[in-house]
Amino acid sequence: MKKIKRILAIIVVIFLVSLYGLTLYAALTASPNSHALFQASLYSTVVIPIMIYAYILVYKLLKKWSQDKYNN
């Protein structure tokens, strides 16, 4: 289980770094779609880590709740 978590963490880090790179690329290029690409990339850079944190928090709470429910 620990190995799976480590692999998933590495995948998330690579994904976020690529998002930052895409944001930088969109900010520096002068293509017609660069403004929309920059906005989407910036939004994703903020929202995706928040969503991942929320999913982890809910998972921990549900796991604790189910353990308490079946242990009592």
Side-chain angles (χ1 to χ4, degrees), residues 1-71:
M1 186 60 135
K2 191 174 184 179
K3 193 172 188 176
I4 293 172
K5 285 183 182 180
R6 185 173 292 172
I7 291 171
L8 288 174
I10 290 171
I11 290 171
V12 169
V13 167
I14 291 170
F15 179 71
L16 288 174
V17 168
S18 65
L19 258 173
Y20 297 142
L22 182 64
T23 305
L24 182 63
Y25 174 76
L28 297 177
T29 60
S31 69
N33 296 329
S34 65
H35 183 67
L37 186 62
F38 178 71
Q39 284 182 335
S41 178
L42 197 60
Y43 176 79
S44 298
T45 300
V46 172
V47 170
I48 290 175
I50 292 171
M51 294 294 290
I52 291 171
Y53 177 75
Y55 290 148
I56 292 170
L57 184 65
V58 168
Y59 173 75
K60 286 181 181 179
L61 290 174
L62 288 176
K63 186 176 176 182
K64 182 180 178 187
W65 178 76
S66 68
Q67 287 176 350
D68 289 345
K69 181 179 178 182
Y70 293 116
N71 286 337

